[in-house]
Amino acid sequence: MPRVSYVNGRYVPHGEATIHVEDRGFQFADSIYEVIAIQNGRLVDAARHFDRLERSLRELRIPVPMPRAALEVVTREVVRRNRVGRGTVYVQVTRGRARREHAFPKSPVPGLVVTARPTRPQPAALLAEGVSVITIPDIRWARRDIKSTALIANVLCRQQATEAGAYEAWLVDADGMVTEGTASNAWIVTRDRHLVTRTADHSILCGITRLAVADLAATQGLVFEERPFSVEEAKRAAEAFLTGTSSIVLPVVRIDGAPVGDGRPGPVARNLRAAYDAMAASAAA
Ligand code: PDD
């Protein structure tokens, strides 16, 4: 099956999917993106992803490339043309092509790229055994709520985690508080069953999986609490876990090499994952 991608108005073979060298997304990371999960050929939580995409564009004053309904049609068409049953679709909007100058071009024509690909099922061991994280300083910019493609800090931090043999890096602010992972949100479970994750202000990306898990908290008899937590508190927590489109919900069993709880995935993370999987499967049925 030849892969097909969408670039600036055309569906093209993936190998020919190219943008101009003076696209501002390429030169300045002047662009935003979304990664949406596909199950049974359908987008998971599409409305929330497109809401966030529009919000990112508004915050950066990048014009919408086309009305929402049309953008959804193009996104679904890329999924369809690639016959993706389970996978991800990637949508990127840039401020378009212009002579290289920092200030915005006078009449920007936004660029739009959509790609889709199948993914293998998540290795069962990740859920069964949990994952480890390291903690490192959060060296990113101050507007992490915008899903910008300026991801070099995330790339460097994730590489550090990979080289340390960890699944993810949890990023830590100047006050010793965890912000989030390089591509996931960070959570702890307190001994009195409070589900704690950082407030969705400018310091983190408000994950769509995070919102879905927050919705599920009450069904599991958990109290959802938005506040910062420290690395120390996380190490002493009953459980820890992370959420994201690719990771879904994964128990965190080691932080900087120290076990969380008994070092095994806990019941809260496992139950939330089961509830999330059931919800996503029924939405995609
Ligand atoms: N990353 N925080 C950051 C910094 C992220 O990059 C992501 C997602 C999340 C989780 O958001 P969501 O639940 O909406 O996926 C949190 C995507 C998947 C990526 O860059 O590949």
Side-chain angles (χ1 to χ4, degrees):
M1 249 287 297
R3 245 182 118 181
V4 177
S5 295
Y6 177 94
V7 185
N8 295 331
R10 297 195 311 137
Y11 296 93
V12 292
H14 189 65
E16 294 163 30
T18 54
I19 55 142
H20 195 269
V21 289
E22 283 194 316
D23 188 287
R24 291 177 62 97
F26 177 63
Q27 292 195 322
F28 295 111
D30 190 356
S31 74
I32 60 94
Y33 75 108
E34 281 295 322
V35 180
I36 310 172
I38 305 161
Q39 269 195 37
N40 297 330
R42 295 186 184 210
L43 309 188
V44 178
D45 255 337
R48 278 174 163 168
H49 280 282
F50 286 108
D51 285 349
R52 187 172 65 183
L53 180 139
E54 288 176 352
R55 177 183 183 279
S56 295
L57 291 175
R58 270 198 310 278
E59 292 297 310
L60 296 183
R61 296 160 58 197
I62 297 175
V64 290
M66 56 179 68
R68 163 99 161 231
L71 184 58
E72 293 198 23
V73 167
V74 169
T75 304
R76 293 197 166 90
E77 182 62 10
V78 172
V79 173
R80 193 189 68 77
R81 289 195 187 210
N82 288 281
R83 298 203 192 130
V84 179
R86 183 193 55 240
T88 52
V89 60
Y90 175 85
V91 182
Q92 181 176 350
V93 182
T94 82
R95 205 183 304 273
R97 174 181 161 181
R99 203 174 74 174
R100 188 182 180 281
E101 270 168 32
H102 288 64
F104 298 169
K106 286 225 162 42
S107 340
V109 178
L112 173 62
V113 169
V114 184
T115 61
R117 67 176 158 104
T119 50
R120 290 182 211 282
Q122 193 178 56
L126 291 180
L127 185 55
E129 288 161 27
V131 299
S132 62
V133 301
I134 57 167
T135 63
I136 51 179
D138 195 337
I139 57 171
R140 300 174 300 160
W141 72 324
R143 288 302 307 274
R144 302 153 192 159
D145 56 307
I146 301 169
K147 200 161 171 61
S148 139
T149 60
L151 290 170
I152 188 59
N154 306 56
V155 165
L156 293 176
C157 292
R158 173 61 74 86
Q159 182 60 20
Q160 205 175 324
T162 302
E163 288 174 9
Y167 178 86
E168 177 62 296
W170 275 7
L171 307 173
V172 181
D173 69 14
D175 300 321
M177 300 296 194
V178 174
T179 53
E180 61 182 330
T182 66
S184 57
N185 289 112
W187 301 71
I188 56 170
V189 182
T190 64
R191 305 212 175 259
D192 53 355
R193 294 180 68 80
H194 282 225
L195 210 50
V196 182
T197 195
R198 188 157 174 134
T199 317
D201 51 21
H202 290 176
S203 68
I204 64 160
L205 181 75
C206 183
I208 304 305
T209 324
R210 175 188 180 281
L211 293 174
V213 167
D215 288 345
L216 291 170
T219 68
Q220 307 289 306
L222 299 157
V223 178
F224 175 59
E225 194 182 340
E226 281 182 295
R227 64 166 172 83
F229 59 85
S230 67
V231 174
E232 287 321 306
E233 183 181 7
K235 285 180 178 167
R236 282 185 277 107
E239 294 184 34
F241 64 95
L242 54 81
T243 59
T245 296
S246 324
S247 300
I248 316 177
V249 177
L250 282 179
V252 170
V253 295
R254 284 187 173 271
I255 301 175
D256 296 330
V260 179
D262 63 2
R264 306 285 310 156
V268 171
R270 276 193 276 116
N271 289 339
L272 280 170
R273 170 58 181 266
Y276 182 88
D277 284 346
M279 188 269 298
S282 71

